[in-house]
Amino acid sequence: MSSEGTKKNTSEFDQAALFFHQFPTPGKLEIQSTKPLGNQRDLALAYSPGVAVPCLAIKDDPESAAKYTSRSNLVAVVSNGTAVLGLGNIGPLASKPVMEGKAVLFKKFANIDVFDIELDAPTVDQMVSTVAALEPTFGGINLEDIKAPECFEIEEQLKERMSIPVFHDDQHGTAIIVAAAVLNGLDLAGKKIEDVKIVTSGAGAAALACLNLLVSLGANTDNIWITDRHGVAYKGRVEEMDRWKEPYLKETDKRELADVIGDADVFLGLSAAGVLKPELLATMAEKPLILALANPTPEIMPELARAARPDAMICTGRSDFPNQVNNVLCFPYIFRGALDCGARAINEEMKMAAVRAIAALAREEPSDVAAKAYSGETPTFGPDYLIPSPFDPRLILRIAPAVALAATESGVAARPIEDMPAYLDKLNRFVFRSGLVMKPVFSAAKNASANRVIYADGEDERVLRAAQIVLEDGTAQPILIGRPNVVDTRLKRYGLKIRAGVDFELINPEDDPRYRNYVDLLSQLAGRRGVSPEAARALVRTDPTVIAALAIKRGEADAMICGLEGRFSRHLRHVKLILGAREGLGEDDFSALSLLISQKGVVFMTDPYVSENPSAEELARMTVLAAEEIRRFGITPKAALLSHSNFGSRDTASALKMRAAAEVLRKIAPDLEVDGEMHGDSALSEELRQRVYPHSTLKGEANLLVFPNIDAANIALTTIREMTNSLHVGPILLGPAAPAHILTRSVTSRGVVNMTALAVVEANSRAVKPK
């Protein structure tokens, strides 16, 4: 289990965590069939009598289990709950939420299926005998949260007994990322690993695994000093000693961290908060590398370290500082590579391959995908970027192939990957389908300067909860419109800690000193469009969407969110009236884009909310705007113009319109990958599309579905969302001169948070130029 930043102790957060785990279904995992089982024949093939055929095939050839069962993509996350990170020995049952969480990470990041197994097995022998007996079921074993030194013995014995990968992530996952950071940090400092002095604080499973891997990479054991709560680990000490510490013991009279830290090049902390004092840091060698990995509070806070040693390079386990050492950087991808080549173990060669792949990725020139994912603010190799972000989409593309190749070269791969380009293509397709599409948006929002988001529905519970979340996460600075007494009462009722005037600005529509200025501006903008002075005064008093739009027009906010109450059309009318259209567009060019995130991936759909029956030219402009928005997610758009006609099979007016729109797009957006008209299944399946029209210019799966009218788009959106339990992000309003998004009444607080991040990124990525 790896920390994702500062631990939150608020009762509101605790209640949210309990709610998250309980609803809509208890827990975080479920089992789904991969076959349709739609008729009697399917049932006969899936079970008796058809199941006997693969059973006999596996009996004759055990390796064929990889073809006929899920074993080659199935990992067991196993724990006895004796050392749960941050919680201690809480037992196997209480550790189950953690193991389910680890299973979710495997699935989300590398599409690996997991059974979490919590064992009431406190002894080494019980753990080893039970886990070893599971080998026929699984392609790999991930040991988790087992206390030291038993974890060493358990892993060692299981590796000897089992012919599948056994990997204790608390040890080796941390070690691999630390080693990558050390390689890059030493390179920047101009030092060689065989020459540097390394001092640890903490001598548990993770710390010793880090040292062992660094030794494999060339570090000298004579230059390594380990300390723990009993001080320096020296020859002759009896407190908490075991055979795994022996390679690093010294004949010495030094007893404390302060005695050995002098001239150290690397400090590795896996211990407790505040252990490394600034005065100790001052004694370290030039350009020291500080790995302060205790969570939630590191051995030294980065700001204290920089004050004491401006030349230091600093890594922590927290997501709110650069250089986060997070196990999710590697364990999903190591298992991905190991499973795909049928590895019988995860050996030193495979671990070192992962280290070098991670270190090399941090050095790479930012790719187009990465640059877009970070909204043009892609970090580059240096003291604040020694290791990649845990959400860099290229991690799986670098680590899994490197691990698989190392397994083959070291002789532990039962099924070596023969066609590496095809394997890379398969991994590439998974990256798109993984559904991690919002993470780069949130990363970019946290670094944005234009982050003032005004919420028209400031009294709504969903907005209040979203405001607290975006403040805690640093996503935006919220401005709420609402009556102070109502907002204050509801904040207290919902147990939220934020307060108006302290944490966020509150605009009171009944009594705001800018009222006359708002009225004058509205009269100026809309006086010739039927809004009399009296009507302007009434709107500014009663319509929060009008107030939000006027605040943006006056430069008091960077983006707005409205629509939680009232009709979409009314909100859209006010946005058009006050903000106007982007330069080069007219009000008829407004459209909406929706994003659906499901277990199968992500898909964008346009236009389910604004354009009732757009012409071919309007469809083309709409598609161009949608493609521009999709690129903001770091995704290359692939557009399919949908119809009941499939590449000319029908010549109705609707089909001809979509066909004409495709022609217009080829002229105005020649770089956009687009084709149509086509059926929905042809858009999502290249195999089907090739059968119908093998010369299609669209390759792979479409990720932007363009519908002929609002009826088709809205029906498809709402039906698919309900049938697949997809998360809806949007509608994303395209066309206004400033970021303005009109949500729907069904939106959740999570949806408000997602749209807030999008609005902030949009505000920072383009100049706001009202027409």
Side-chain angles (χ1 to χ4, degrees):
M1 180 183 180
S2 54
S3 172
E4 265 296 294
T6 306
K7 183 178 180 182
K8 302 178 179 70
N9 294 310
T10 64
S11 60
E12 189 274 335
F13 184 84
D14 293 346
Q15 290 300 316
L18 292 174
F19 185 91
F20 177 88
H21 282 79
Q22 184 177 359
F23 299 102
T25 303
K28 299 188 283 283
L29 297 172
E30 66 178 6
I31 295 175
Q32 292 186 356
S33 171
T34 60
K35 302 297 188 290
L37 301 180
N39 52 45
Q40 185 61 40
R41 179 174 173 79
D42 288 346
L43 293 173
L45 290 170
Y47 200 54
S48 182
V51 73
V53 181
C55 288
L56 294 174
I58 294 169
K59 178 179 179 295
D60 294 337
D61 177 16
E63 283 297 322
S64 68
K67 293 193 296 183
Y68 302 129
T69 75
S70 62
R71 182 175 184 262
S72 63
N73 195 51
L74 187 61
V75 167
V77 171
V78 183
S79 180
N80 60 8
T82 53
V84 179
L85 182 62
L87 301 174
N89 188 353
I90 61 175
L93 182 59
S95 75
K96 187 172 179 64
V98 178
M99 304 311 130
E100 285 189 354
K102 192 64 175 278
V104 169
L105 295 179
F106 267 108
K107 186 65 177 180
K108 197 70 172 176
F109 285 92
N111 199 30
I112 294 172
D113 295 319
V114 167
F115 290 158
D116 63 291
I117 299 177
E118 295 75 33
L119 297 176
D120 186 6
T123 70
V124 171
D125 289 343
Q126 288 174 317
M127 282 290 290
V128 170
S129 61
T130 305
V131 176
L134 298 172
E135 183 167 348
T137 302
F138 296 99
I141 303 292
N142 182 94
L143 300 174
E144 193 79 13
D145 292 348
I146 303 169
K147 71 183 181 74
E150 288 89 339
C151 62
F152 300 116
E153 190 68 47
I154 290 168
E155 185 187 40
E156 190 174 275
Q157 291 190 30
L158 287 174
K159 284 183 173 181
E160 292 175 357
R161 292 180 57 172
M162 304 182 79
S163 297
I164 58 175
V166 177
F167 187 82
H168 185 203
D169 183 48
D170 298 332
Q171 292 183 58
H172 309 300
T174 303
I176 286 166
I177 304 157
V178 164
V182 169
L183 288 184
N184 281 342
L186 295 183
D187 181 72
L188 284 173
K191 301 176 182 179
K192 296 181 178 179
I193 191 169
E194 58 266 27
D195 299 329
V196 298
K197 179 180 179 181
I198 302 170
V199 176
T200 77
S201 174
L208 292 174
C210 290
L211 295 179
N212 293 340
L213 188 54
L214 290 174
V215 170
S216 296
L217 291 165
N220 189 337
T221 55
D222 292 339
N223 296 334
I224 296 174
W225 296 77
I226 59 175
T227 71
D228 57 20
R229 59 181 176 172
H230 298 291
V232 174
Y234 59 90
K235 290 184 178 180
R237 201 184 88 175
V238 296
E239 299 91 351
E240 293 191 12
M241 299 302 292
D242 52 61
R243 64 184 174 93
W244 290 278
K245 296 187 180 77
E246 287 181 4
Y248 306 105
L249 301 184
K250 305 285 190 296
E251 291 278 6
T252 181
D253 58 358
K254 297 177 179 180
R255 295 295 182 262
E256 303 295 336
L257 176 63
D259 299 331
V260 298
I261 193 70
D263 296 323
D265 300 282
V266 178
F267 170 82
L268 173 59
L270 286 152
S271 55
V275 168
L276 183 61
K277 306 300 181 186
E279 57 268 24
L280 298 183
L281 178 55
T283 69
M284 292 183 68
E286 182 184 0
K287 296 181 181 179
L289 174 59
I290 311 300
L291 296 126
L293 307 183
N295 267 317
T297 307
E299 285 79 2
I300 186 169
M301 292 297 289
E303 58 268 25
L304 291 177
R306 290 201 182 282
R309 290 295 298 268
D311 61 334
M313 292 169 281
I314 306 162
C315 302
T316 70
R318 292 171 46 150
S319 62
D320 51 347
F321 294 111
N323 295 324
Q324 183 194 11
V325 174
N326 187 330
N327 287 16
V328 81
L329 261 169
C330 69
F331 73 80
Y333 317 121
I334 290 172
F335 269 97
R336 181 73 277 157
L339 292 172
D340 290 341
C341 70
R344 293 185 290 271
I346 294 176
N347 56 26
E348 288 299 303
E349 291 86 351
M350 296 161 72
K351 287 188 285 184
M352 286 192 284
V355 170
R356 298 190 189 282
I358 294 170
L361 179 56
R363 298 163 175 265
E364 284 188 28
E365 290 294 323
S367 67
D368 290 343
V369 171
K372 292 169 186 172
Y374 287 95
S375 193
E377 299 295 330
T378 314
T380 55
F381 181 58
D384 287 335
Y385 192 67
L386 298 175
I387 46 179
S389 161
F391 293 92
D392 192 313
R394 297 169 293 175
L395 283 165
I396 193 172
L397 305 177
R398 303 293 185 272
I399 299 174
V403 168
L405 182 60
T408 299
E409 293 177 344
S410 60
V412 298
R415 300 184 304 277
I417 294 171
E418 297 178 357
D419 189 342
M420 189 59 73
Y423 180 56
L424 287 170
D425 182 63
K426 177 182 176 183
L427 295 177
N428 255 311
R429 282 185 276 117
F430 167 72
V431 169
F432 164 67
R433 296 177 65 91
S434 66
L436 293 170
V437 65
M438 286 301 298
K439 185 62 184 180
V441 174
F442 279 95
S443 297
K446 288 184 179 182
N447 297 319
S449 56
N451 66 350
R452 300 168 301 166
V453 178
I454 187 165
Y455 301 85
D457 304 288
E459 297 177 359
D460 191 284
E461 177 185 358
R462 294 164 291 181
V463 168
L464 296 173
R465 293 191 181 279
Q468 175 154 314
I469 292 170
V470 300
L471 278 167
E472 289 178 347
D473 292 347
T475 305
Q477 182 58 48
I479 303 169
L480 274 58
I481 299 174
R483 295 162 291 177
N485 60 321
V486 175
V487 169
D488 185 57
T489 299
R490 292 182 179 177
L491 286 171
K492 293 176 181 176
R493 180 191 306 166
Y494 304 138
L496 302 177
K497 63 182 180 182
I498 57 173
R499 292 293 177 263
V502 178
D503 303 296
F504 63 90
E505 180 185 348
L506 182 66
I507 296 177
N508 180 5
E510 296 178 343
D511 183 19
D512 188 89
R514 293 163 292 192
Y515 170 72
R516 291 188 180 278
N517 293 327
Y518 284 161
V519 170
D520 290 344
L521 179 57
L522 180 58
S523 296
Q524 177 185 340
L525 294 170
R528 291 183 178 272
R529 300 186 65 178
V531 179
S532 66
E534 183 179 350
R537 287 191 290 272
L539 284 170
V540 174
R541 280 282 189 229
T542 61
D543 198 312
T545 296
V546 169
I547 298 172
L550 291 169
I552 288 184
K553 195 74 173 179
R554 283 167 48 87
E556 296 164 356
D558 302 303
M560 65 174 282
I561 290 176
C562 62
L564 278 72
E565 297 294 337
R567 292 186 176 182
F568 188 98
S569 57
R570 176 176 64 83
H571 297 289
L572 180 61
R573 183 167 62 249
H574 292 325
V575 168
K576 287 183 176 181
L577 184 68
I578 297 170
L579 296 181
R582 284 175 56 178
E583 186 175 4
L585 300 178
E587 289 184 7
D588 291 338
D589 291 321
F590 276 59
S591 60
L593 176 69
S594 282
L595 165 62
L596 286 182
I597 305 174
S598 71
Q599 292 294 331
K600 292 187 176 182
V602 299
V603 64
F604 295 86
M605 307 172 75
T606 191
D607 169 9
Y609 288 100
V610 177
S611 304
E612 291 186 13
N613 188 22
S615 66
E617 290 73 17
E618 289 169 339
L619 280 167
R621 290 194 294 271
M622 177 195 307
T623 304
V624 170
L625 287 175
E628 177 186 321
E629 187 69 27
I630 291 170
R631 292 187 181 98
R632 212 185 308 281
F633 289 85
I635 296 173
T636 300
K638 294 173 176 281
L641 306 183
L642 301 188
S643 172
H644 67 290
S645 173
N646 207 19
F647 295 104
S649 63
R650 303 283 295 273
D651 286 326
T652 61
S654 175
L656 293 173
K657 179 177 73 171
M658 301 307 284
R659 202 176 305 165
E663 290 301 322
V664 174
L665 278 166
R666 292 187 184 99
K667 294 176 182 177
I668 68 173
D671 295 332
L672 176 63
E673 191 172 333
V674 60
D675 209 346
E677 79 286 9
M678 69 179 76
H679 288 174
D681 54 0
S682 294
L684 299 175
S685 170
E686 185 170 25
E687 180 181 357
L688 289 176
R689 189 164 60 251
Q690 288 292 315
R691 291 179 192 171
V692 178
Y693 185 63
H695 307 294
S696 174
T697 55
L698 181 65
K699 304 301 179 185
E701 298 177 13
N703 53 27
L704 171 58
L705 306 182
V706 182
F707 292 84
N709 56 50
I710 197 171
D711 286 342
N714 193 273
I715 291 169
L717 169 69
T718 52
T719 303
I720 294 171
R721 180 179 63 190
E722 186 63 25
M723 290 181 66
T724 61
N725 195 28
S726 298
L727 171 65
H728 177 216
V729 179
I732 304 165
L733 188 61
L734 307 176
H741 298 294
I742 306 167
L743 308 187
T744 61
R745 284 179 284 184
S746 62
V747 72
T748 63
S749 59
R750 181 184 182 189
V752 177
V753 171
N754 284 334
M755 289 305 301
T756 299
L758 273 173
V760 169
V761 172
E762 182 183 355
N764 281 269
S765 66
R766 64 182 178 92
V768 178
K769 297 179 180 179
K771 185 176 178 182

